[in-house]
Amino acid sequence: MKFIHTSDWHLGRQFHGVSLIDDQAAVLSQLIDYLKQHPVDALIVAGDIYDRSVPPTKAIELLNHVVDEVCGALNIPMILIPGNHDGAERLAFAASQLKASGLYIIGSFDAMTKPVILRSDTVGEVAFFGIPYADPEQVRHHFSERVSDFDSAHQVLVEQIIAQRDSSMRNVLISHCFVDGAIDSDSERPLSIGGSDRVSHEHFLSFDYVALGHLHQPQYKGAEHIRYSGSLMKYSFSEQHQRKGVTLVELTKEGPVCIEHLDLRAPHEMRIIEGELARLLELGVSDPKREDYLLVRLTDKHAILNPMEKLREVYPNVLHLEKPGMLIGVENPMGQAKLARSEFEMFDDFFAQAQGDSLNDEQAQAVHQILKQLQK
Amino acid sequence: MKFIHTSDWHLGRQFHGVSLIDDQAAVLSQLIDYLKQHPVDALIVAGDIYDRSVPPTKAIELLNHVVDEVCGALNIPMILIPGNHDGAERLAFAASQLKASGLYIIGSFDAMTKPVILRSDTVGEVAFFGIPYADPEQVRHHFSERVSDFDSAHQVLVEQIIAQRDSSMRNVLISHCFVDGAIDSDSERPLSIGGSDRVSHEHFLSFDYVALGHLHQPQYKGAEHIRYSGSLMKYSFSEQHQRKGVTLVELTKEGPVCIEHLDLRAPHEMRIIEGELARLLELGVSDPKREDYLLVRLTDKHAILNPMEKLREVYPNVLHLEKPGMLIGVENPMGQAKLARSEFEMFDDFFAQAQGDSLNDEQAQAVHQILKQLQK
């Protein structure tokens, strides 16, 4: 029994005002190509399929295309749970009707306790249970149980599932939560402001595999079989060194779970480049990946006219620009950063770039006088 | 072969700020009860299932419930097309997967030429073709045909369908459009501003039945089998005398189509009541339908303090108030209506109601003086 575990597709996401839908489509098409070559028994998406509860039409069309390819053409069942970004009711429309075609959307507490059971030749029947993302309030209200935080909510939910579990077969759990001690990235939306959103991995120990969503970095926590696949692609510059992809899981007859990370490559990586403008422009000309989504940190110590425009002539997808070279005091995180150059020096830089010549003495004096007046 | 033709559910609609979702649920539950007693071979919804392309969650949950009952529990196929209020891509998510469960959503031009074929003992196979709502621009773009208005667009679309039609079987067409000469109501959203949105009924003559949506009044146009079921319930006060419900259609072995209108009753009717306040309040006490959604026309000729508050004590769902008794000149539609009472008379009315006594001479003189000053 082999299945792919993935999560946090965030279809429809924008990044610095740029739609990522074409990148998402390209990455998903790599996944579909993999499945064509290496059929598996199921594809699991552990929440945050869409980036918001009301996704844009293009995101719906993309998911529709994936479902047509995977459930339709390849006849591979898909099992989905909503994450904190999804609208559970919206995502789970016609969930009962969709089961017949192998599209399982576990969008309610009722559906949570009814596993999707898939058969395999090697390990017999395997039960897949999914927990639709819910906040503690919803769990308290629905089960009339004492629930004060995400951890106690998860305890109630997992108990419900364990009560329905048939321990003669393998059991896989799918959940969208923040396991205590795991590593977060910059692109996840916090589950709770103020309260604790952490969940102990101990709830999950008795399952054969736990397919987690929410955290964007691939990792396991507590035990190797309690695992985040990580997001489909990078969603912040701080993820530049994370390996993005999906997790291939195999439940073997002998017992242990085999786990493999499969890389997926977005057409545009998210990267940070740093240096002086002239040097970056020079390097860019021969950079085969110059169309990546870039955060540029300019270390120049003088003011530059239209740096974004100059950079985009070489790197068309510069999305954010920082000028640490123009600041002093940034080493001290508590102190406020100050401009490293005086107003006069900045104007002098500007004049030189705009006119191709430096200020002469008379001009310099005039600027000094104007600045003095303004400072009064 | 019997089927129900309905349209224009507008799930999620608001009326004068009031959500109609509970009324819609009640009316749909009558329809489900009917189907339990009198099974049919299909339920057709000819567009405007939702009131907007991004419907509220409650509307999605209601449609989900109907689908569970009709396609699920009763095993009756449903055939849906998007109308001008629906978002076709959003509505048709996973349409390919849903077919297996008997939920057919015809949301694209591709799906349009592939009929839903249902079998019956009496008339053999029947093909149901649906035209997803599209404006002329979309038709022109997709088919690269000369299309300037809704009529020429419909001609292109119907020709596409006729080319795929097997005339050895009965053929039913579903469309959401404005057939020329048919009667509109106040609650439809115009398909076109400025251009012509009318479509000739002649495109439809060669089908065995044409299930139309868009117009909210049940009617046929051109021939008895080219028919609007009308909306699920009233959506404007001007529809107060329309009979709302669904159309039961039977294709008989002998050829003719039997058509029957089945009434559905909303818990709150939309009605206009007219008269003097005191009389309306008196009548209301013994009015078993006083919780209806009401437009009240007060014919009183003097100003009344807080009339809405007084009316709502008896009629809790007064949604709109008109005071024709306070206007003169309304008979002349070109002339501007004027208040029938002077400022002084209005204040005199107000004073009497607020204080329980008329203005005395001194008070009257003071008011006259203030009004004179204000008029300057």
Side-chain angles (χ1 to χ4, degrees), chain A residues 55 61 64 89-90 94 97 101, chain B residues 55 64 89-90 94 97 101:
Chain A
E61 288 175 324
N64 201 32
E89 301 81 5
R90 215 170 273 279
Q97 285 68 41
S101 302
Chain B
N64 201 30
E89 299 82 5
R90 218 170 271 278
Q97 285 67 42
S101 302

